[in-house]
């Protein structure tokens, strides 16, 4: 591709972002690389044949909006390319009125409602391939008047942690704040402790008011859990 070794090394290590211009250079070379695999990570890396459908990106994953091209991951997260190797990430927003029923993914009503949910955007440094959702904060239990507070109306971007990783520890020291989906409700809490043997996690509220004292939840009661990676007060 005619690029410096230091540049390509940065791409491989993840220290340097890869923009559309770089991907275009790769696709311009006769390397037998599947565009769908290169742009989305889906399917086979190499083209199956000259006439194979895998030689072209699937229209459901790669779409164009004016001069912007974005990628939609398998979980439905959309990315719009920005300058400086950054991306606008668009995810569905779980509304207040779905909080009591969101845990039941099989609920036909929820599935129908999801198509009408609002979407919100966050600025990201790279494309992630996990399951991301946005949640609107309810109440004042996580408000201690500090910069780390989560106040009512804040929107948080959260990444789901698959159940197979729960028993290994939630890494709450690195990711202290979580969205916890229980039967009938959704909580935003700081996790301050986890008992690996019993499966109990200790939930903490930032608000120092007595009614928000620490409490424990057993992970067997948890339907889904998301670590919060970003918050914003602006809905796009």
């Amino acid at each position: 591709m005619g690029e410096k070794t230091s540049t390509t090394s940065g791409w491989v290590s993840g220290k340097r972002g890869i923009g559309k211009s770089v991907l275009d250079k790769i696709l311009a070379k006769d390397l037998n690389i599947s565009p769908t695999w290169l742009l989305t990570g889906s399917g086979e890396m190499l083209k199956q044949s000259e006439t194979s459908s895998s030689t072209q990106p699937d229209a459901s994953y790669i779409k164009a909006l004016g001069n912007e091209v974005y990628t939609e991951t398998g979980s439905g997260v959309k990315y719009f390319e920005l300058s400086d190797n950054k991306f606008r990430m668009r995810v569905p927003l779980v509304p207040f009125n779905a909080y009591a029923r969101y845990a039941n993914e099989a609920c036909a009503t929820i599935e129908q409602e999801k198509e009408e949910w609002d979407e919100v955007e966050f600025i990201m440094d790279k494309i992630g391939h996990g399951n991301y959702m946005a949640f609107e904060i309810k109440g004042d239990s996580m408000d201690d008047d500090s910069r780390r507070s989560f106040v009512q109306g804040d929107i948080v971007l959260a990444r789901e942690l698959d159940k197979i990783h729960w028993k290994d520890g939630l890494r709450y020291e690195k990711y202290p704040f979580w969205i916890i989906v229980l039967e009938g409700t959704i909580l935003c809490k700081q996790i301050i402790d986890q008992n690996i043997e019993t499966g109990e996690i200790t939930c903490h509220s930032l608000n120092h008011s007595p009614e928000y004292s620490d409490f424990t939840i057993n992970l067997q009661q948890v339907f889904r859990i998301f670590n919060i990676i970003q918050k914003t007060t602006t809905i796009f």
Side-chain angles (χ1 to χ4, degrees), residues 132-152:
Y132 293 83
M133 301 288 289
F135 297 85
E136 187 172 354
I137 299 300
K138 298 174 61 176
D140 62 353
S141 69
M142 294 297 287
D143 184 6
D144 65 352
D145 294 323
S146 70
R147 293 183 62 183
R148 64 175 185 165
S149 290
F150 298 89
V151 303
Q152 176 148 325

Side-chain angles (χ1 to χ4, degrees), residues 77-196:
V77 177
K78 302 170 186 176
Y79 291 88
F80 297 78
E81 187 180 34
L82 301 175
S83 59
D84 300 324
N85 295 315
K86 293 184 181 296
F87 299 89
R88 282 187 6 248
M89 177 191 200
R90 181 176 294 175
V91 297
L93 171 66
V94 181
F96 279 168
N97 60 13
Y99 267 33
R101 293 170 292 128
Y102 176 66
N104 188 358
E105 285 289 348
C107 177
T109 303
I110 284 289
E111 289 302 319
Q112 293 173 1
E113 288 179 357
K114 279 184 177 180
E115 298 179 1
E116 301 178 359
W117 286 359
D118 289 333
E119 293 182 315
V120 293
E121 295 183 350
F122 300 84
I123 304 301
M124 305 295 289
D125 293 326
K126 60 182 180 180
I127 292 176
H129 293 282
N131 182 34
Y132 293 83
M133 301 288 289
F135 297 85
E136 187 172 354
I137 299 300
K138 298 174 61 176
D140 62 353
S141 69
M142 294 297 287
D143 184 6
D144 65 352
D145 294 323
S146 70
R147 293 183 62 183
R148 64 175 185 165
S149 290
F150 298 89
V151 303
Q152 176 148 325
D154 279 356
I155 306 297
V156 297
L157 173 65
R159 176 179 54 204
E160 184 172 12
L161 182 66
D162 194 279
K163 282 189 176 183
I164 62 174
H165 301 299
W166 294 6
K167 66 181 187 308
D168 300 324
L170 301 183
R171 300 173 66 192
Y172 57 86
E173 293 181 351
K174 181 176 182 180
Y175 302 105
F177 301 111
W178 297 76
I179 295 293
I180 305 168
V181 181
L182 304 171
E183 183 176 10
T185 191
I186 297 176
L187 303 177
C188 173
K189 295 297 173 186
Q190 180 181 5
I191 295 179
I192 59 174
D193 193 22
Q194 178 180 7
N195 188 318
I196 300 295

